[in-house]
């Protein structure tokens, strides 16, 4: 991935999109930053092309949607296969997120949504079958996110 120097405009754009990408227009960001809307759109395009902005995702409340079994499965994967296994986990029905942790045991955290206990068991078996050692399973009550303060405007 190419090195990209982020200036204060890029950081302000990222901060605004992290805060609320769905309801933030290029015009609103432009007004706040002091540039034109086309500049903001061009900057967003460049941030997407370089991979800094990887996508825009819906924040789903699984419980309100009728899926009470939103679960974090903590796994251990052999370091040499960790990334490959993490990507493979995304192919398992019910897996909604995967995070690699850099060091130690418990180095992959997998978010899953199951329809019932049997479904969670199936997901666990499939994760085990592809090579994960399941260490722990925890029901998720809430999940909160916040824009990274390092992108916030300081001027």
């Amino acid at each position: 991935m190419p090195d990209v120097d982020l200036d204060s405009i890029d950081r302000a754009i990222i901060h605004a999109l992290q805060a609320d990408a769905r309801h933030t227009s290029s015009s609103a960001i432009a007004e706040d930053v002091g540039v034109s809307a086309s500049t903001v759109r061009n900057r967003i395009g460049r941030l997407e092309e370089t991979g800094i902005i990887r996508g825009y995702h819906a924040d789903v409340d699984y419980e309100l949607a009728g899926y009470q079994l939103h679960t974090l499965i903590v796994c251990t994967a052999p370091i040499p296969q960790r990334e490959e296994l993490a990507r493979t986990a995304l192919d398992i029905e019910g897996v909604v997120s995967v995070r690699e942790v850099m060091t130690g045991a418990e180095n992959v955290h997998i978010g899953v949504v199951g329809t019932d206990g049997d479904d969670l068991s199936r997901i666990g078996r499939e994760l085990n079958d592809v090579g994960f050692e399941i260490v722990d399973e925890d029901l998720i009550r809430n999940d909160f996110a916040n824009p990274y303060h390092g992108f916030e405007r300081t001027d």
Side-chain angles (χ1 to χ4, degrees):
M1 183 161 90
D3 287 334
V4 178
D5 289 325
L6 298 178
D7 63 16
S8 62
I9 296 170
D10 293 325
R11 288 191 298 276
I13 290 168
I14 293 168
H15 189 269
L17 293 175
Q18 281 187 315
D20 189 2
R22 175 83 169 103
H23 298 103
T24 302
S25 68
S26 297
S27 299
I29 296 171
E31 185 176 322
D32 184 49
V33 176
V35 297
S36 70
S38 64
T39 296
V40 171
R41 287 189 296 275
N42 290 336
R43 295 286 188 109
I44 291 172
R46 184 176 58 83
L47 292 165
E48 291 170 343
E49 287 170 16
T50 58
I52 291 172
I53 295 178
R54 295 182 297 196
Y56 305 89
H57 310 281
D59 182 9
V60 177
D61 184 322
Y62 293 104
E63 187 171 353
L64 283 176
Y67 300 98
Q68 282 74 28
L69 297 178
H70 185 199
T71 305
L72 174 66
I73 300 179
V74 179
C75 302
T76 298
I79 301 295
Q81 291 88 38
R82 180 181 59 209
E83 183 175 353
E84 179 184 348
L85 288 173
R87 292 182 188 280
T88 299
L90 291 170
D91 295 330
I92 296 172
E93 184 177 323
V95 171
V96 295
S97 66
V98 179
R99 280 203 169 139
E100 288 183 74
V101 180
M102 290 299 294
T103 59
E106 302 180 10
N107 57 6
V108 180
H109 297 182
I110 302 174
V112 306
V113 176
T115 55
D116 56 29
D118 289 339
D119 196 31
L120 287 178
S121 294
R122 174 198 53 83
I123 295 168
R125 281 192 307 274
E126 289 187 36
L127 290 169
N128 188 66
D129 290 347
V130 299
F132 289 104
E133 175 191 342
I134 296 176
V135 178
D136 195 11
E137 299 179 41
D138 301 301
L139 283 176
I140 297 172
R141 171 124 167 65
N142 287 307
D143 193 11
F144 302 99
N146 198 41
Y148 174 57
H149 76 278
F151 294 133
E152 195 168 17
R153 291 192 63 191
T154 57
D155 54 315

